[in-house]
Coordinates of all heavy atoms in Angstrom, one line a residue:
I52 N 59.4 13.8 -104.0 CA 60.2 14.1 -105.4 C 59.2 14.6 -106.3 O 59.6 15.6 -107.0 CB 60.8 12.7 -105.8 CG1 61.7 12.1 -104.8 CG2 61.5 12.9 -107.2 CD1 62.8 12.9 -104.3
I53 N 58.0 14.1 -106.5 CA 57.1 14.6 -107.5 C 56.6 16.0 -107.1 O 56.5 16.9 -108.1 CB 55.8 13.7 -107.5 CG1 56.2 12.3 -108.1 CG2 54.7 14.4 -108.2 CD1 55.2 11.3 -108.0
Y54 N 56.5 16.3 -105.8 CA 56.1 17.8 -105.4 C 57.3 18.6 -105.9 O 57.0 19.7 -106.3 CB 56.0 17.8 -103.9 CG 54.9 17.0 -103.3 CD1 54.9 16.7 -101.9 CD2 53.8 16.5 -104.0 CE1 53.9 15.9 -101.3 CE2 52.8 15.8 -103.5 CZ 52.8 15.5 -102.1 OH 51.8 14.8 -101.7
L55 N 58.6 18.3 -105.7 CA 59.6 19.1 -106.0 C 59.6 19.2 -107.5 O 59.9 20.4 -108.1 CB 60.9 18.5 -105.6 CG 61.2 18.6 -104.1 CD1 62.4 17.8 -103.6 CD2 61.3 20.0 -103.5
R56 N 59.3 18.2 -108.3 CA 59.3 18.3 -109.7 C 58.2 19.2 -110.2 O 58.4 20.0 -111.2 CB 59.2 17.0 -110.4 CG 60.4 16.0 -110.2 CD 61.7 16.3 -110.9 NE 61.5 16.4 -112.2 CZ 61.7 17.4 -113.0 NH1 62.2 18.5 -112.7 NH2 61.4 17.3 -114.4
V57 N 57.2 19.2 -109.5 CA 55.9 20.1 -109.9 C 56.4 21.5 -109.8 O 56.0 22.4 -110.5 CB 54.6 19.7 -109.0 CG1 53.7 20.9 -109.1 CG2 54.1 18.5 -109.4
F58 N 57.1 21.8 -108.7 CA 57.7 23.2 -108.5 C 59.0 23.4 -109.4 O 59.6 24.5 -109.2 CB 58.1 23.3 -107.1 CG 56.9 23.7 -106.2 CD1 56.0 22.8 -105.8 CD2 56.7 25.1 -105.9 CE1 55.0 23.2 -104.9 CE2 55.6 25.6 -105.2 CZ 54.8 24.5 -104.7
G59 N 59.1 22.6 -110.4 CA 60.3 22.9 -111.3 C 61.6 22.7 -110.9 O 62.6 23.1 -111.4
V60 N 61.9 21.9 -109.7 CA 63.2 21.6 -109.3 C 63.8 20.5 -110.3 O 63.2 19.5 -110.4 CB 63.2 21.1 -107.8 CG1 64.6 20.7 -107.3 CG2 62.6 22.2 -106.9
P61 N 64.9 20.8 -110.8 CA 65.5 19.8 -111.7 C 65.8 18.4 -111.1 O 66.3 18.4 -109.9 CB 66.8 20.5 -112.3 CG 66.5 22.0 -112.0 CD 65.7 22.0 -110.8
L62 N 65.6 17.4 -111.8 CA 65.9 16.1 -111.3 C 67.4 16.0 -110.8 O 67.7 15.4 -109.8 CB 65.6 14.9 -112.2 CG 65.6 13.6 -111.6 CD1 64.8 13.4 -110.4 CD2 65.3 12.6 -112.7
D63 N 68.3 16.5 -111.6 CA 69.7 16.6 -111.2 C 70.0 17.2 -109.8 O 70.7 16.7 -109.0 CB 70.6 17.3 -112.2 CG 70.6 16.6 -113.6 OD1 70.4 15.4 -113.6 OD2 71.1 17.3 -114.5
D64 N 69.2 18.3 -109.4 CA 69.4 19.0 -108.1 C 68.9 18.0 -107.1 O 69.4 17.9 -106.0 CB 68.6 20.2 -108.1 CG 69.3 21.3 -108.9 OD1 70.4 21.1 -109.6 OD2 68.8 22.4 -109.2
I65 N 67.7 17.3 -107.4 CA 67.2 16.4 -106.5 C 68.1 15.2 -106.2 O 68.3 14.8 -105.1 CB 65.7 15.9 -106.9 CG1 64.7 17.2 -107.0 CG2 65.1 14.8 -106.0 CD1 63.4 16.8 -107.6
V66 N 68.7 14.7 -107.3 CA 69.6 13.5 -107.1 C 70.8 14.0 -106.3 O 71.3 13.2 -105.5 CB 70.0 13.1 -108.6 CG1 71.2 12.2 -108.5 CG2 68.9 12.5 -109.3
A67 N 71.3 15.2 -106.6 CA 72.5 15.7 -105.7 C 72.1 15.8 -104.3 O 72.9 15.3 -103.3 CB 73.1 17.0 -106.4
L68 N 71.0 16.3 -104.1 CA 70.6 16.5 -102.6 C 70.3 15.1 -102.0 O 70.8 14.9 -100.8 CB 69.2 17.2 -102.6 CG 68.6 17.5 -101.1 CD1 69.7 18.2 -100.3 CD2 67.4 18.2 -101.2
F69 N 69.7 14.2 -102.6 CA 69.5 12.8 -102.1 C 70.9 12.1 -101.9 O 71.0 11.5 -100.8 CB 68.7 12.0 -103.1 CG 68.3 10.7 -102.7 CD1 67.8 10.3 -101.4 CD2 68.4 9.5 -103.6 CE1 67.5 9.1 -101.1 CE2 68.0 8.2 -103.2 CZ 67.6 8.0 -102.0
A70 N 71.9 12.2 -102.7 CA 73.2 11.8 -102.5 C 73.8 12.3 -101.2 O 74.4 11.5 -100.4 CB 74.0 11.9 -103.7
I71 N 73.6 13.6 -101.0 CA 74.2 14.2 -99.9 C 73.6 13.7 -98.7 O 74.2 13.4 -97.6 CB 74.2 15.7 -100.0 CG1 75.1 16.2 -101.1 CG2 74.6 16.4 -98.6 CD1 74.9 17.7 -101.4
E72 N 72.2 13.5 -98.7 CA 71.5 13.1 -97.5 C 71.9 11.6 -97.2 O 72.2 11.3 -96.0 CB 69.9 13.0 -97.8 CG 69.5 14.5 -97.7 CD 67.9 14.5 -97.6 OE1 67.3 13.6 -97.3 OE2 67.3 15.6 -97.9
K73 N 72.0 10.8 -98.1 CA 72.5 9.4 -97.9 C 74.0 9.4 -97.3 O 74.3 8.7 -96.4 CB 72.4 8.5 -99.1 CG 70.9 8.2 -99.4 CD 70.9 7.1 -100.5 CE 71.6 7.2 -101.8 NZ 71.3 6.2 -102.7
K74 N 74.8 10.2 -97.9 CA 76.2 10.3 -97.4 C 76.2 10.7 -95.9 O 77.0 10.1 -95.1 CB 77.0 11.2 -98.3 CG 78.5 11.3 -97.9 CD 79.2 10.2 -97.6 CE 79.9 9.6 -98.8 NZ 80.6 8.4 -98.6
L75 N 75.4 11.7 -95.6 CA 75.3 12.2 -94.2 C 74.9 11.0 -93.3 O 75.7 10.7 -92.2 CB 74.4 13.3 -94.0 CG 74.8 14.6 -94.2 CD1 73.6 15.6 -94.2 CD2 75.9 15.0 -93.1
M76 N 74.0 10.3 -93.7 CA 73.5 9.1 -92.9 C 74.5 8.1 -92.8 O 74.7 7.4 -91.7 CB 72.2 8.6 -93.4 CG 71.1 9.6 -93.1 SD 69.4 9.0 -93.5 CE 69.4 9.1 -95.3
Q77 N 75.3 7.8 -93.9 CA 76.3 6.9 -93.9 C 77.5 7.2 -93.0 O 78.0 6.5 -92.2 CB 76.9 6.5 -95.2 CG 75.9 5.8 -96.1 CD 76.3 5.8 -97.6 OE1 76.8 6.6 -98.1 NE2 75.9 4.7 -98.2
L78 N 77.9 8.5 -93.0 CA 78.9 9.0 -92.1 C 78.6 9.0 -90.6 O 79.4 8.8 -89.8 CB 79.2 10.4 -92.5 CG 80.0 10.6 -93.8 CD1 80.1 12.1 -94.2 CD2 81.4 9.9 -93.8
L79 N 77.2 9.0 -90.3 CA 76.7 8.9 -89.0 C 76.5 7.4 -88.7 O 76.1 7.2 -87.5 CB 75.4 9.6 -88.8 CG 75.5 11.2 -88.9 CD1 74.0 11.8 -88.9 CD2 76.3 11.7 -87.7
K80 N 76.7 6.6 -89.7 CA 76.6 5.0 -89.4 C 75.1 4.6 -89.2 O 74.9 3.6 -88.5 CB 77.5 4.5 -88.3 CG 79.0 4.8 -88.6 CD 79.9 4.3 -87.4 CE 81.3 4.6 -87.7 NZ 81.8 5.9 -87.6
V81 N 74.2 5.4 -89.7 CA 72.8 5.0 -89.6 C 72.6 3.8 -90.4 O 71.6 3.0 -90.1 CB 71.9 6.2 -90.1 CG1 70.4 5.8 -90.0 CG2 72.1 7.4 -89.2
D82 N 73.3 3.6 -91.5 CA 73.0 2.5 -92.5 C 73.3 1.2 -91.8 O 72.8 0.2 -92.2 CB 73.8 2.7 -93.7 CG 75.2 2.8 -93.6 OD1 75.7 3.3 -92.5 OD2 76.0 2.3 -94.4
T83 N 74.2 1.1 -90.8 CA 74.6 -0.1 -90.1 C 73.6 -0.7 -89.2 O 73.7 -1.9 -88.7 CB 75.9 0.0 -89.5 OG1 75.8 0.9 -88.4 CG2 77.0 0.5 -90.5
S84 N 72.6 0.2 -88.7 CA 71.6 -0.3 -87.9 C 70.4 -0.9 -88.5 O 69.5 -1.4 -87.7 CB 71.2 0.8 -86.8 OG 70.6 1.8 -87.6
A85 N 70.3 -1.0 -89.8 CA 69.2 -1.5 -90.4 C 69.6 -2.6 -91.4 O 70.6 -2.5 -92.0 CB 68.4 -0.4 -91.2
S86 N 68.7 -3.6 -91.6 CA 69.0 -4.6 -92.6 C 68.4 -4.5 -94.0 O 68.7 -5.1 -94.9 CB 68.6 -5.9 -92.0 OG 67.2 -6.0 -91.8
S87 N 67.5 -3.5 -94.1 CA 66.8 -3.3 -95.3 C 67.6 -2.5 -96.3 O 68.3 -1.6 -95.9 CB 65.6 -2.3 -94.9 OG 64.9 -2.0 -96.1
P88 N 67.5 -2.9 -97.6 CA 68.1 -2.1 -98.6 C 67.6 -0.7 -98.7 O 68.2 0.2 -99.4 CB 68.0 -2.9 -99.8 CG 66.8 -3.7 -99.6 CD 66.8 -4.0 -98.1
L89 N 66.4 -0.4 -98.2 CA 65.7 1.0 -98.2 C 66.0 1.6 -96.8 O 65.2 2.5 -96.4 CB 64.3 0.7 -98.5 CG 63.9 0.1 -99.8 CD1 62.4 -0.1 -100.0 CD2 64.5 1.1 -101.0
W90 N 67.1 1.4 -96.1 CA 67.3 1.9 -94.8 C 67.2 3.4 -94.8 O 66.8 4.1 -93.8 CB 68.7 1.5 -94.3 CG 69.9 2.0 -95.2 CD1 70.3 1.3 -96.2 CD2 70.4 3.2 -95.2 NE1 71.4 2.0 -96.8 CE2 71.5 3.2 -96.2 CE3 70.5 4.4 -94.3 CZ2 72.3 4.3 -96.5 CZ3 71.3 5.5 -94.6 CH2 72.2 5.4 -95.7
Y91 N 67.6 4.1 -95.9 CA 67.6 5.6 -96.0 C 66.1 6.2 -96.0 O 66.0 7.4 -96.0 CB 68.4 6.0 -97.1 CG 68.2 5.2 -98.4 CD1 67.1 5.7 -99.3 CD2 69.0 4.2 -98.8 CE1 66.9 4.9 -100.4 CE2 68.7 3.5 -99.9 CZ 67.8 3.9 -100.7 OH 67.5 3.2 -101.9
L92 N 65.1 5.3 -96.2 CA 63.8 5.8 -96.3 C 63.0 5.5 -95.1 O 61.8 5.9 -94.9 CB 63.0 5.1 -97.5 CG 63.6 5.3 -98.9 CD1 62.7 4.6 -99.9 CD2 63.7 6.8 -99.2
A93 N 63.6 4.9 -94.0 CA 62.9 4.6 -92.8 C 62.2 5.7 -92.1 O 61.2 5.5 -91.5 CB 63.9 4.0 -91.8
A94 N 62.7 6.9 -92.3 CA 62.0 8.1 -91.5 C 60.9 8.8 -92.4 O 60.4 9.8 -91.8 CB 63.1 9.1 -91.0
C95 N 60.8 8.4 -93.6 CA 59.8 9.1 -94.4 C 58.5 9.2 -94.0 O 57.8 10.2 -94.2 CB 59.9 8.4 -95.9 SG 61.3 8.9 -96.8
E96 N 58.0 8.1 -93.4 CA 56.7 8.1 -93.0 C 56.4 8.9 -91.6 O 55.3 9.2 -91.3 CB 56.3 6.7 -92.5 CG 56.1 5.7 -93.8 CD 55.6 4.3 -93.5 OE1 54.4 4.2 -93.3 OE2 56.5 3.4 -93.3
S97 N 57.4 9.4 -90.9 CA 57.3 10.2 -89.7 C 56.5 11.5 -90.1 O 56.8 12.1 -91.0 CB 58.6 10.5 -89.1 OG 58.4 11.3 -88.1
E98 N 55.6 11.9 -89.2 CA 54.8 13.0 -89.3 C 55.6 14.3 -88.8 O 55.2 15.4 -89.1 CB 53.5 12.9 -88.7 CG 52.6 11.8 -89.1 CD 52.0 12.0 -90.7 OE1 51.8 13.2 -91.0 OE2 51.9 11.1 -91.4
D99 N 56.5 14.0 -88.1 CA 57.4 15.1 -87.5 C 58.1 16.0 -88.6 O 58.7 15.4 -89.4 CB 58.4 14.6 -86.6 CG 59.2 15.7 -85.8 OD1 58.9 16.8 -86.0 OD2 60.2 15.2 -85.1
A100 N 57.8 17.1 -88.6 CA 58.5 18.0 -89.7 C 59.4 19.2 -89.0 O 59.5 20.3 -89.4 CB 57.4 18.8 -90.4
S101 N 60.1 18.7 -88.0 CA 61.0 19.6 -87.3 C 62.1 20.1 -88.2 O 62.4 19.4 -89.2 CB 61.6 19.0 -86.0 OG 62.6 18.0 -86.4
P102 N 62.7 21.3 -87.9 CA 63.8 21.8 -88.8 C 65.0 21.0 -88.8 O 65.8 21.2 -89.7 CB 64.1 23.1 -88.1 CG 63.5 23.2 -86.9 CD 62.4 22.2 -86.8
N103 N 65.2 20.0 -87.8 CA 66.4 19.2 -87.9 C 66.2 18.0 -88.9 O 67.2 17.2 -89.0 CB 66.5 18.5 -86.4 CG 67.0 19.7 -85.4 OD1 67.5 20.6 -85.7 ND2 66.5 19.4 -84.2
R104 N 65.1 17.8 -89.5 CA 64.9 16.7 -90.3 C 65.3 17.1 -91.8 O 65.3 18.1 -92.3 CB 63.5 16.3 -90.5 CG 62.9 15.7 -89.1 CD 61.7 15.0 -89.2 NE 61.4 14.2 -88.1 CZ 61.7 12.9 -87.8 NH1 62.4 12.2 -88.7 NH2 61.5 12.3 -86.6
L105 N 66.0 16.0 -92.5 CA 66.5 16.3 -93.8 C 65.3 16.3 -94.7 O 64.3 15.7 -94.5 CB 67.4 15.1 -94.2 CG 68.6 15.0 -93.3 CD1 69.5 13.8 -93.8 CD2 69.5 16.2 -93.2
L106 N 65.4 17.1 -95.9 CA 64.3 17.4 -96.7 C 63.7 16.3 -97.4 O 62.4 16.0 -97.3 CB 64.8 18.5 -97.7 CG 63.7 19.0 -98.7 CD1 62.6 19.7 -97.9 CD2 64.3 19.8 -99.8
L107 N 64.5 15.3 -97.9 CA 63.9 14.2 -98.8 C 63.6 13.0 -97.9 O 62.5 12.5 -98.0 CB 64.9 13.9 -99.9 CG 65.2 15.0 -100.8 CD1 66.2 14.6 -102.0 CD2 63.9 15.5 -101.5
T108 N 64.6 12.6 -97.1 CA 64.4 11.4 -96.4 C 63.8 11.6 -95.0 O 63.3 10.6 -94.3 CB 65.8 10.8 -96.0 OG1 66.6 11.7 -95.3 CG2 66.5 10.4 -97.4
N109 N 63.6 12.7 -94.5 CA 63.0 13.1 -93.3 C 63.8 12.5 -92.1 O 63.3 12.4 -91.0 CB 61.5 12.7 -93.2 CG 60.7 13.4 -92.3 OD1 60.8 14.7 -92.2 ND2 59.8 12.9 -91.6
F110 N 65.0 12.2 -92.3 CA 65.9 11.7 -91.2 C 66.1 12.8 -90.2 O 66.4 14.0 -90.6 CB 67.2 11.1 -91.8 CG 68.2 10.9 -90.7 CD1 68.0 9.6 -90.0 CD2 69.3 11.6 -90.4 CE1 68.9 9.4 -89.0 CE2 70.2 11.3 -89.5 CZ 70.1 10.1 -88.7
D111 N 66.0 12.6 -89.0 CA 66.2 13.6 -88.0 C 67.7 13.7 -87.5 O 68.2 12.8 -86.8 CB 65.4 13.3 -86.7 CG 65.4 14.3 -85.6 OD1 66.1 15.4 -85.9 OD2 64.8 14.2 -84.6
A112 N 68.3 14.7 -88.0 CA 69.8 14.8 -87.8 C 70.0 15.5 -86.5 O 71.2 15.6 -86.1 CB 70.5 15.6 -89.0
G113 N 69.0 16.1 -85.8 CA 69.3 16.9 -84.6 C 70.0 16.2 -83.5 O 70.9 16.7 -83.0
P114 N 69.6 14.8 -83.2 CA 70.4 14.1 -82.1 C 71.9 13.9 -82.5 O 72.7 13.7 -81.7 CB 69.7 12.9 -81.9 CG 68.4 13.1 -82.6 CD 68.5 14.1 -83.7
W115 N 72.2 14.0 -83.7 CA 73.6 13.5 -84.2 C 74.4 14.9 -84.5 O 75.6 14.9 -84.1 CB 73.6 12.8 -85.4 CG 73.1 11.3 -85.2 CD1 74.0 10.4 -84.8 CD2 71.9 10.8 -85.1 NE1 73.3 9.1 -84.6 CE2 71.9 9.5 -84.8 CE3 70.6 11.4 -85.4 CZ2 70.8 8.6 -84.8 CZ3 69.5 10.5 -85.3 CH2 69.6 9.1 -84.9
I116 N 73.8 15.8 -85.1 CA 74.6 17.0 -85.5 C 74.0 18.2 -84.7 O 72.9 18.6 -84.9 CB 74.5 17.3 -87.0 CG1 75.0 16.1 -87.8 CG2 75.3 18.6 -87.3 CD1 74.8 16.2 -89.3
R117 N 74.8 18.7 -83.9 CA 74.3 19.8 -82.9 C 74.7 21.1 -83.5 O 75.5 21.3 -84.3 CB 74.9 19.6 -81.5 CG 74.7 18.1 -81.0 CD 74.3 18.1 -79.5 NE 73.8 16.8 -79.2 CZ 74.6 15.8 -79.0 NH1 75.8 15.8 -79.1 NH2 74.0 14.7 -78.5
E118 N 74.0 22.2 -83.0 CA 74.2 23.5 -83.4 C 75.6 24.0 -83.2 O 76.1 24.8 -83.9 CB 73.2 24.4 -82.7 CG 71.7 24.3 -83.2 CD 71.4 24.6 -84.6 OE1 72.2 25.5 -85.0 OE2 70.8 23.8 -85.2
D119 N 76.2 23.5 -82.1 CA 77.6 23.9 -81.8 C 78.7 23.3 -82.6 O 79.8 23.5 -82.5 CB 77.9 23.8 -80.3 CG 77.9 22.3 -79.9 OD1 77.7 21.4 -80.8 OD2 78.2 22.0 -78.7
G120 N 78.3 22.5 -83.6 CA 79.1 21.7 -84.5 C 79.7 20.5 -84.0 O 80.5 19.8 -84.7
T121 N 79.2 20.0 -82.9 CA 79.7 18.7 -82.4 C 78.8 17.6 -83.0 O 77.6 17.8 -83.4 CB 79.5 18.6 -80.8 OG1 78.1 18.8 -80.4 CG2 80.5 19.6 -80.1
V122 N 79.4 16.5 -83.2 CA 78.8 15.3 -83.8 C 78.7 14.1 -82.9 O 79.8 13.8 -82.3 CB 79.4 15.0 -85.2 CG1 78.9 13.7 -85.7 CG2 79.5 16.1 -86.1
Q123 N 77.6 13.5 -82.8 CA 77.5 12.3 -82.0 C 77.1 11.2 -83.0 O 76.1 11.1 -83.6 CB 76.3 12.4 -81.0 CG 75.9 11.2 -80.3 CD 77.0 10.6 -79.4 OE1 77.6 11.4 -78.6 NE2 77.3 9.4 -79.6
Y124 N 78.1 10.4 -83.3 CA 78.1 9.3 -84.2 C 77.1 8.2 -83.6 O 77.2 7.9 -82.5 CB 79.3 8.8 -84.6 CG 80.3 9.7 -85.4 CD1 81.1 10.6 -84.7 CD2 80.1 9.9 -86.8 CE1 81.8 11.6 -85.3 CE2 80.8 10.8 -87.4 CZ 81.6 11.6 -86.8 OH 82.4 12.5 -87.5
S125 N 76.4 7.5 -84.5 CA 75.6 6.3 -84.2 C 76.6 5.2 -83.9 O 77.7 5.2 -84.4 CB 74.6 5.9 -85.3 OG 73.9 4.9 -84.9
L126 N 76.1 4.3 -83.1 CA 77.0 3.0 -82.9 C 77.1 2.3 -84.3 O 76.1 2.2 -85.0 CB 76.4 2.1 -81.8 CG 76.4 2.8 -80.4 CD1 75.7 1.9 -79.5 CD2 77.9 3.1 -80.0
D127 N 78.2 1.7 -84.5 CA 78.3 0.9 -85.8 C 78.0 -0.5 -85.6 O 78.6 -1.3 -84.9 CB 79.8 0.9 -86.2 CG 80.0 0.4 -87.6 OD1 79.0 -0.1 -88.2 OD2 81.1 0.7 -88.1

Side-chain angles (χ1 to χ4, degrees):
I52 303 306
I53 292 168
Y54 298 157
L55 292 173
R56 295 294 297 130
V57 166
F58 274 84
V60 177
L62 188 56
D63 289 344
D64 291 355
I65 296 169
V66 168
L68 181 60
F69 184 45
I71 293 170
E72 287 191 20
K73 286 195 307 188
K74 176 51 85 176
L75 272 173
M76 290 187 283
Q77 288 170 328
L78 289 172
L79 292 170
K80 299 179 177 74
V81 174
D82 60 324
T83 65
S84 64
S86 60
S87 169
L89 298 172
W90 60 269
Y91 46 85
L92 300 181
C95 284
E96 291 184 81
S97 173
E98 299 292 325
D99 183 7
S101 71
N103 295 327
R104 292 197 171 265
L105 302 181
L106 184 65
L107 301 178
T108 60
N109 206 36
F110 173 74
D111 187 0
W115 285 272
I116 303 173
R117 306 220 170 76
E118 291 295 321
D119 65 1
T121 58
V122 176
Q123 172 64 47
Y124 294 93
S125 181
L126 295 175
D127 193 349

